[in-house]
Amino acid sequence: SRDGAVLGNDLAELLEVTWHGTDYADTACAPCPPGKQSVEGASRCSGCPRGSVWEPVSHLCEQCADGGYALEGFAECVPSPQCAPSDYSATYGECSEAYNNQRLKVWRWLEPKVCEGGVDLPSPHEEYVPCLA
């Protein structure tokens, strides 16, 4: 709720949760889940950034080879798929009288973009189009 006045279905994304002072947390360690790792003595597991995976021999995040990708937390690089029309969409700006009641249409890749090759974004990438009535 906001200020105790509105009940709703608000959502929150938790990126990290830590706790302190429990016997279990102070005396025992658990292995990190796949795609996460920690160095000895660390208090938490972490993942490699997008485009890299943990290399347990070197203890470093290593970049994926050309033609492969990994999102944060991936345990291994996977081959990049060919780009297809389902990998992009159009976004529209506000209608504007300054542009003869038109709005800007922009083609963009869906994020995160993991595809390579295949189709290109439609051309032109940006154009003014009539507003829908």
Side-chain angles (χ1 to χ4, degrees):
S1 72
R2 292 177 198 89
D3 300 327
V6 179
L7 293 177
N9 293 323
D10 294 341
L11 298 176
E13 180 179 359
L14 299 177
L15 300 177
E16 182 176 318
V17 176
T18 60
W19 56 90
H20 302 278
T22 65
D23 289 338
Y24 178 77
D26 290 340
T27 61
C29 292
C32 293
K36 301 281 186 175
Q37 68 284 331
S38 69
V39 293
E40 189 171 333
S43 63
R44 64 186 177 102
C45 299
S46 59
C48 292
R50 182 175 164 184
S52 63
V53 293
W54 181 252
E55 201 340 282
V57 175
S58 68
H59 298 282
L60 298 171
C61 292
E62 303 228 344
Q63 290 292 319
C64 294
D66 288 343
Y69 77 96
L71 300 180
E72 186 175 337
F74 272 33
E76 60 187 42
C77 295
V78 294
S80 296
Q82 290 264 316
C83 293
S86 59
D87 293 315
Y88 60 79
S89 68
T91 59
Y92 294 88
E94 296 288 325
C95 287
S96 173
E97 288 184 26
Y99 294 104
N100 278 342
N101 289 321
Q102 296 187 68
R103 60 187 178 161
L104 183 62
K105 175 182 176 181
V106 179
W107 290 103
R108 297 176 193 236
W109 293 108
L110 299 177
E111 291 292 332
K113 182 179 183 278
V114 297
C115 64
E116 293 182 11
V119 300
D120 291 324
L121 289 175
S123 188
H125 300 308
E126 295 185 6
E127 64 181 321
Y128 281 92
V129 296
C131 296
L132 301 175

